[in-house]
Amino acid sequence: MEAKLKELKARLLEVSDLNAAAALLYWDQTTYMPPGGAPARARQIATLRRLAHEKFTDPAIGKLLDDLRLYEESLPYDSDDASLIRVTRRDYEKAIKVPPAFMAELSSHIAATYEVWAKARPANDFAAVQPYLEKTLDLSRQLANFFPGYEHIADPLIDFSDPGMTASAVSTLFAELRQQLAPIVQAITAQPPADDSCLHQAFPEAQQLAFGQEVIRRFGYDFRRGRQDKTHHPYMTKFSLGDVRITTRVKENDLGEALFSTMHEAGHALYEQGIRTEYEGTPLARGASSGIHESQSRLWENLVGRSLSFWRSFYPRLQAVFPDQLGNVSLETFYQAINKVERSLIRTDADEVTYNLHVIIRFELELALLEGQLTVRDLPEAWRERYEADLGIAPPDDRDGVLQDVHWYSGVIGGAFQGYTLGNIISAQFFEAALQAHPEIPAEIEQGEFGTLHTWLKEHIYQHGRKYMPAELIERVTGSPLTIEPYIRYLRTKYGELYQLQ
Ligand code: ZN
């Protein structure tokens, strides 16, 4: 058994190496590569991904997993070996269901769609991408149908990013959330908007980057096992547990842009840096799901980084970095500015309170498209209607409407968005559990100390990687299943004080 397990690990390590090489090529493409490298780079990445997929779906892996079944059953469920075999088997059984020829067709269609979208968005030209999106919808349905036995056609697609979640479970949760959010948004937007002009002055890039890095170093981000570079759309990437990188973008006239994206991506990176080193090179060495991952980026960005406790400690420091811009701006004014709530059109610019309404709209449109209740042709109009109904504001054009997010134009339709809102919900549930275990955390944050929080997250969440299913992890960490209650409590308390709501 030991020899077989060793062979399995050796094969998985090769898969991991190929994927890491592809990730490194992508990182280079989005940071330092000269534009002339683009065509070859796209092909090189595709080649490495294909080789990784071929190696992972090799029947020899299936045979090893079969041979190891009895060994797995003899071990405790949460032992490292049993977890490795279990998680690898789940991935393997999913991977072999999709024929390689279909994957190749899907990848090349997605690449072509992305090219068209990149031009169509600035040109406000939905008609140009419509036929591509129609084919994407068709391919998304085909992909789902490789996994028969689902209750809703979106279920297999949701399961790719949030294992164990279903359209029905997410819909129930989101309906409840929207109902709770609507009156909060109503009450806040009935008041005059917060003044956030203090964030929109000239803030030199170098100081912005240095301040952001100072903050995340204090969070616990390890620069000996990571680095930060500039890109167009910030993201976190990992080449090994010893090399977890983040990217950001800086706007000199918007202090929040780089600062909060830095905290956000560092939250993702803290998770990956905190995974047990024994899992290196295996399918366990990643976050549990997109929702759990997003819970960590949101926890550090919002629950910590947009809190009054945090800025009691860091605002004097920020004022010292930008004395001309912020010297005369009070902590209260700054705190209100970074938590300004407004009805807006762009998801990625939305505040904590309205953000989820943007996500819920997209999730429900995905379901309607997959069900055949909505055609791609009618999508822009459906988008406008939903924005009017849920956010009380409709986009004047498709550029800031249905064309704004890259997801449907660089992937499948289905499962693309729910993780963001699941992440917000889970972030509050985890944070509440951390505060119950360590009521001293807010006082420590006020002193600029994050050790207790970081250690707690590492111990209860980070170190496990993908050992547990998301639902199992939530139950283990908080003692209860996924629930919106802590998140609603958090929003009511914070924004109740900020906007003096009843
Ligand atoms: Zn994120």
Side-chain angles (χ1 to χ4, degrees):
M1 281 309 138
E2 252 174 50
K4 287 191 194 292
L5 190 62
K6 216 175 143 194
E7 192 195 335
L8 179 68
K9 285 183 182 171
R11 285 174 177 271
L12 293 173
L13 192 59
E14 284 187 338
V15 174
S16 161
D17 285 347
L18 287 165
N19 281 323
L24 177 57
L25 287 185
Y26 178 77
W27 173 85
D28 175 70
Q29 181 179 21
T30 55
T31 49
Y32 297 106
M33 189 188 76
R41 186 54 54 86
R43 188 194 65 240
Q44 291 156 346
I45 292 172
T47 300
L48 287 170
R49 293 276 181 212
R50 181 173 51 74
L51 289 174
H53 185 77
E54 279 170 19
K55 280 202 176 284
F56 185 62
T57 52
D58 188 322
I61 293 218
K63 176 78 169 58
L64 285 166
L65 289 168
D66 284 345
D67 293 347
L68 286 162
R69 197 180 284 272
L70 283 177
Y71 173 62
E72 178 198 350
E73 284 165 4
S74 75
L75 298 169
Y77 174 83
D78 62 355
S79 75
D80 285 350
D81 283 354
S83 302
L84 172 67
I85 298 166
R86 180 178 67 247
V87 171
T88 305
R89 181 180 294 113
R90 201 167 66 224
D91 288 353
Y92 178 79
E93 284 171 358
K94 253 190 211 172
I96 58 168
K97 283 204 171 86
V98 186
F102 176 84
M103 282 309 291
E105 186 191 359
L106 181 63
S107 309
S108 78
H109 171 69
I110 285 171
T113 306
Y114 177 80
E115 293 288 309
V116 176
W117 170 78
K119 295 187 185 78
R121 192 192 171 200
N124 188 36
D125 187 4
F126 181 76
V129 288
Q130 187 186 315
Y132 288 85
L133 206 53
E134 279 164 355
K135 181 158 183 206
T136 301
L137 180 58
D138 182 44
L139 291 171
S140 305
R141 286 206 189 98
Q142 287 184 45
L143 179 61
N145 285 326
F146 290 119
F147 304 86
Y150 54 72
E151 194 182 301
H152 189 287
I153 187 161
D155 289 352
L157 306 173
I158 293 171
D159 195 78
F160 280 124
S161 46
D162 290 292
M165 294 304 292
T166 61
S168 135
V170 177
S171 297
T172 307
L173 204 64
F174 283 7
E176 207 185 324
L177 182 61
R178 179 168 46 207
Q179 204 182 3
Q180 300 272 353
L181 286 174
I184 304 177
V185 173
Q186 191 64 44
I188 293 174
T189 53
Q191 300 187 27
D195 175 8
D196 64 352
S197 57
C198 64
L199 302 174
H200 301 281
Q201 308 177 61
F203 296 96
E205 177 177 307
Q207 280 104 308
Q208 286 200 46
L209 286 171
F211 181 79
Q213 290 175 7
E214 182 185 329
V215 167
I216 60 173
R217 188 172 278 122
R218 295 278 279 279
F219 283 175
Y221 179 74
D222 182 355
F223 277 91
R224 288 164 310 161
R225 297 190 294 136
R227 52 178 289 132
Q228 183 184 47
D229 297 270
K230 285 197 299 165
T231 191
H232 289 298
H233 299 282
Y235 64 96
M236 180 276 305
T237 187
K238 181 187 67 181
F239 313 130
S240 71
L241 294 174
D243 190 354
V244 183
R245 302 189 192 183
I246 57 173
T247 57
T248 190
R249 83 181 144 200
V250 183
K251 285 190 188 156
E252 296 218 319
N253 66 350
D254 184 355
L255 183 61
E257 178 78 25
L259 181 55
F260 292 107
S261 99
T262 296
M263 295 187 198
H264 181 101
E265 301 309 331
H268 284 302
L270 286 168
Y271 191 176
E272 298 280 338
Q273 285 187 335
I275 293 170
R276 296 187 58 178
T277 49
E278 290 87 339
Y279 297 168
E280 180 80 281
T282 77
L284 294 179
R286 272 193 282 135
S289 69
S290 95
I292 303 286
H293 232 301
E294 201 63 14
S295 80
Q296 293 316 298
S297 54
R298 292 301 189 177
L299 187 149
W300 288 102
E301 174 196 356
N302 288 338
L303 285 89
V304 175
R306 286 183 211 267
S307 72
L308 191 54
S309 309
F310 174 85
W311 287 106
R312 285 213 171 99
S313 156
F314 278 84
Y315 191 58
R317 177 76 194 109
L318 186 66
Q319 284 179 306
V321 176
F322 298 114
D324 296 343
Q325 299 91 328
L326 298 174
N328 293 320
V329 177
S330 70
L331 171 62
E332 287 66 33
T333 302
F334 178 79
Y335 177 61
Q336 282 173 2
I338 60 168
N339 288 294
K340 179 182 183 179
V341 176
E342 61 189 333
R343 302 176 189 274
S344 64
L345 294 173
I346 307 294
R347 174 184 64 85
T348 53
D349 296 340
D351 55 82
E352 276 184 288
V353 183
T354 59
Y355 184 88
N356 301 295
L357 298 175
H358 294 260
V359 172
I360 293 170
I361 290 173
R362 286 155 180 73
F363 177 75
E364 292 180 352
L365 290 173
E366 282 191 322
L367 296 193
L369 286 166
L370 287 164
E371 288 162 3
Q373 305 285 332
L374 175 65
T375 63
V376 169
R377 173 187 294 274
D378 293 335
L379 180 60
E381 190 49 39
W383 183 286
R384 277 188 286 276
E385 280 168 14
R386 289 299 311 266
Y387 262 77
E388 192 64 64
D390 286 16
L391 281 145
I393 179 173
D397 56 29
D398 293 332
R399 185 179 9 225
D400 289 340
V402 69
L403 289 171
Q404 72 177 259
D405 289 310
V406 67
H407 305 59
W408 292 336
Y409 310 98
S410 65
V412 296
I413 295 175
F417 288 101
Q418 77 286 330
Y420 294 115
T421 284
L422 290 174
N424 284 329
I425 297 169
I426 298 165
S427 71
Q429 199 173 340
F430 283 163
F431 197 62
E432 202 168 78
L435 296 191
Q436 253 155 30
H438 297 284
E440 70 276 21
I441 285 175
E444 288 185 6
I445 292 176
E446 219 157 293
Q447 300 302 314
E449 295 297 330
F450 307 95
T452 304
L453 176 60
H454 185 206
T455 303
W456 186 90
L457 292 168
K458 216 163 23 183
E459 185 187 333
H460 291 88
I461 300 161
Y462 299 172
Q463 64 155 331
H464 300 305
R466 287 176 76 211
K467 179 183 271 191
Y468 303 107
M469 289 285 277
E472 284 177 317
L473 186 67
I474 293 167
E475 188 100 40
R476 277 177 60 98
V477 174
T478 69
S480 84
L482 177 59
T483 160
I484 65 166
E485 301 307 327
Y487 186 55
I488 294 297
R489 264 197 292 281
Y490 159 72
L491 289 178
R492 285 228 174 92
T493 307
K494 175 173 174 179
Y495 290 89
E497 283 165 12
L498 261 165
Y499 286 88
Q500 278 121 43
L501 305 179
Q502 299 311 308

